[in-house]
């Protein structure tokens, strides 16, 4: 958590977390309080890395990095359909291979920076997969290592995106003030980004504000995100990793925010829009949106139990047979808690039994 902000420090961060992965992950401790935000502040003020070269070993052509990035693109899309628990081992292996290239091959400064950017995105992806699988302490370390690698690469957009994911995890862990700080640091560290990147960062901020009950800040961030999504794409394009942000995802995150603000009608409106616009390739997101929408119907007064159980059962079908996501199962468990007072209703009782079985199965896989 406290390594120098240079090429050696970034590589050491990646190697340390990879080597530690051979240990029992339950030996990791989740970082608490302000310690979560210290690496973010280090990234924000660290001076740029001057040179990223290696002068020994066999040369590494730039085309190899092209192929590596194509593989990462496919891994991201597999995650959309299968969930974090299904892919962790595969992506860790790919990360270890690329770190080995940095350590042992010869490359120019431009290729070196691209390699470190590739490692940063792989570290970010493993952090996200770990978070999605409920492995929070390792996920935090992967995000920190990813931030170091992004700094070495000189890629501020990528670093800001990593902080956005770290903010998302922090608010799920209940570290609301840290989530706000991480999201605001991401915006401060990469102001004026491309439309999609800016939309991602503002939606992360909106989620953090919603959990902190900052209604005005949340709504402003949501409006800014939707506005940016309508801006023209710049000639140089957008980063490949921001492919997932679109109108459907923006509605989904806005719906989540209004759920946290206890505005059930607005939450329902946005989540319905997300479900109607979504791409079938995003299986995990569909299950999450159905669960959140069911929660909005469960929390309204009176609850719409028919809609709740219909949406909830559809989400359980996906989370049982297709997607391995402890994060989504956690949302399902919270939905079940809201329905406990209505357990005498047969349809609710059947749904709760299915939700309990799903939670038990997910817990056994995460041990």
């Amino acid at each position: 958590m406290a390594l120098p902000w240079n090429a050696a420090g970034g590589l050491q961060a990646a190697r340390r977390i990879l080597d530690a992965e051979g240990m029992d992950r339950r030996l990791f401790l989740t970082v608490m309080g302000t310690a979560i935000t210290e690496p973010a502040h280090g990234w924000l003020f660290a001076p740029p890395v001057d040179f990223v070269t290696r002068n020994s070993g066999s040369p590494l052509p730039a085309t190899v990095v092209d192929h590596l990035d194509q593989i990462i693109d496919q891994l991201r899309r597999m995650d959309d359909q299968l969930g974090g628990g299904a892919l962790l081992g595969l992506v860790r292996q790919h990360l270890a291979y690329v770190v080995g290239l940095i350590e042992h091959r010869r490359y120019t400064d431009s290729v070196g920076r691209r390699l470190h950017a590739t490692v940063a995105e792989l570290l970010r992806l493993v952090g996200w997969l770990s978070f999605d699988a409920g492995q929070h302490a390792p996920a935090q370390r992967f995000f920190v290592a990813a931030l170091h690698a992004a700094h070495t690469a000189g890629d501020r957009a990528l670093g800001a995106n990593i902080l956005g994911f770290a903010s998302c995890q922090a608010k799920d862990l209940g570290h609301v003030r840290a989530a706000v700080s991480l999201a605001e640091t991401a915006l401060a560290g990469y102001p004026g980004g491309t439309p999609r990147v800016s939309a991602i960062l503002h939606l992360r901020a909106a989620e953090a504000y919603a959990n902190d009950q900052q209604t005005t800040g949340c709504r402003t961030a949501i409006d800014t995100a939707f506005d940016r999504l309508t801006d023209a794409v710049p000639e140089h394009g957008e980063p490949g990793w921001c492919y997932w942000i679109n109108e459907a995802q923006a509605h989904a995150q806005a719906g989540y925010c209004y759920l946290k603000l206890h505005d059930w009608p607005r939450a329902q409106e946005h989540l319905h829009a997300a479900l109607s616009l979504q791409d079938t390739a995003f299986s995990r997101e569909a299950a999450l949106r159905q669960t959140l929408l069911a929660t909005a119907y469960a929390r309204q007064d009176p609850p719409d139990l028919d809609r709740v159980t219909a949406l909830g059962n559809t989400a359980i079908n996906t989370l049982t047979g297709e997607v391995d996501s402890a994060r989504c199962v956690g949302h399902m468990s919270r939905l079940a808690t809201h329905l406990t007072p209505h357990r005498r209703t047969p349809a609710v009782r059947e749904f709760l039994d299915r939700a309990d079985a799903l939670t038990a199965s997910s817990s056994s896989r995460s041990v």
Side-chain angles (χ1 to χ4, degrees), residues 16-47:
R16 279 187 180 182
I17 186 63
L18 278 172
D19 291 345
E21 278 295 283
M23 301 168 57
D24 187 334
R25 63 174 179 264
R26 289 170 293 185
L27 297 178
F28 285 101
L29 296 177
T30 303
V31 180
M32 309 290 284
T34 58
I36 302 173
T37 62
E38 289 177 5
H41 297 150
W43 168 82
L44 184 62
F45 297 110

Side-chain angles (χ1 to χ4, degrees), residues 42 80 238 261 317 334:
D80 295 331
E238 300 262 22
L261 294 173
N317 292 341
R334 287 186 283 277

Side-chain angles (χ1 to χ4, degrees), residues 276-289:
S276 67
L277 293 169
Q278 72 185 12
D279 189 318
T280 55
F282 291 85
S283 302
R284 180 186 49 216
E285 293 307 310
L288 177 59
R289 293 163 189 175

Side-chain angles (χ1 to χ4, degrees), residues 194-244:
T194 60
R196 284 191 171 189
V197 174
S198 180
I200 288 172
L201 299 182
H202 280 94
L203 285 169
R204 294 300 191 201
E207 291 180 328
Y209 292 144
N211 278 270
D212 199 33
Q213 299 301 302
Q214 295 186 39
T215 303
T216 300
C218 175
R219 289 178 175 175
T220 300
I222 289 172
D223 290 344
T224 301
F226 275 99
D227 288 344
R228 290 310 314 271
L229 282 176
T230 64
D231 291 346
V233 177
E235 291 184 6
H236 55 79
E238 300 262 22
W241 44 257
C242 69
Y243 72 98
W244 56 272

Side-chain angles (χ1 to χ4, degrees), residues 16-322:
R16 279 187 180 182
I17 186 63
L18 278 172
D19 291 345
E21 278 295 283
M23 301 168 57
D24 187 334
R25 63 174 179 264
R26 289 170 293 185
L27 297 178
F28 285 101
L29 296 177
T30 303
V31 180
M32 309 290 284
T34 58
I36 302 173
T37 62
E38 289 177 5
H41 297 150
W43 168 82
L44 184 62
F45 297 110
V49 176
D50 290 332
F51 298 103
V52 185
T53 59
R54 191 169 189 276
N55 298 318
S56 60
S58 57
L60 184 71
T63 52
V64 171
V65 188
D66 295 333
H67 297 316
L68 293 172
D69 290 342
Q70 290 170 8
I71 293 171
I72 295 174
D73 187 59
Q74 294 303 311
L75 291 171
R76 287 188 292 245
R77 283 163 170 76
M78 289 172 67
D79 167 54
D80 295 331
Q81 292 189 296
L82 301 178
L87 288 176
L88 262 171
L90 176 62
V91 182
R92 283 194 196 108
Q93 290 175 358
H94 193 58
L95 169 63
Y97 174 75
V98 182
V99 169
L101 293 179
I102 293 178
E103 291 175 324
H104 302 296
R105 300 296 290 269
R106 173 162 52 94
Y107 42 80
T108 63
D109 182 73
S110 61
V111 171
R113 291 184 189 277
R114 289 190 60 199
L115 277 172
H116 280 273
T118 299
V119 164
E121 175 58 5
L122 280 168
L123 285 162
R124 196 278 314 166
L125 181 55
V126 180
W128 163 249
L129 296 175
S130 300
F131 166 30
D132 193 51
Q135 300 176 20
H136 288 291
Q140 289 178 323
R141 270 81 175 170
F142 279 115
F143 287 144
V144 171
L147 199 59
H148 274 274
H151 179 71
T152 299
D155 193 332
R156 297 295 282 184
L158 181 54
N161 187 48
I162 292 161
L163 286 181
F165 276 85
S167 173
C168 183
Q169 183 194 23
K171 53 92 176 166
D172 268 28
L173 290 172
H175 304 312
V176 176
R177 293 306 305 160
V180 170
S181 179
L182 289 166
E184 291 180 342
T185 303
L187 285 166
Y190 190 65
T194 60
R196 284 191 171 189
V197 174
S198 180
I200 288 172
L201 299 182
H202 280 94
L203 285 169
R204 294 300 191 201
E207 291 180 328
Y209 292 144
N211 278 270
D212 199 33
Q213 299 301 302
Q214 295 186 39
T215 303
T216 300
C218 175
R219 289 178 175 175
T220 300
I222 289 172
D223 290 344
T224 301
F226 275 99
D227 288 344
R228 290 310 314 271
L229 282 176
T230 64
D231 291 346
V233 177
E235 291 184 6
H236 55 79
E238 300 262 22
W241 44 257
C242 69
Y243 72 98
W244 56 272
I245 190 66
N246 52 27
E247 189 178 357
Q249 182 61 27
H251 277 294
Q253 290 184 243
Y256 166 86
C257 290
Y258 285 114
L259 199 61
K260 288 296 181 179
L261 294 173
H262 297 180
D263 188 336
W264 318 129
R266 279 196 175 93
Q268 292 163 10
E269 177 186 350
H270 282 288
L271 289 165
H272 271 297
L275 286 167
S276 67
L277 293 169
Q278 72 185 12
D279 189 318
T280 55
F282 291 85
S283 302
R284 180 186 49 216
E285 293 307 310
L288 177 59
R289 293 163 189 175
Q290 289 156 355
T291 304
L292 293 176
L293 181 55
T295 303
Y297 281 120
R299 299 295 303 278
Q300 72 179 27
D301 187 16
D304 189 334
L305 298 180
D306 290 338
R307 286 190 175 184
V308 172
T309 53
L311 288 161
N313 279 314
T314 302
I316 287 177
N317 292 341
T318 300
L319 295 173
T320 300
E322 182 178 349

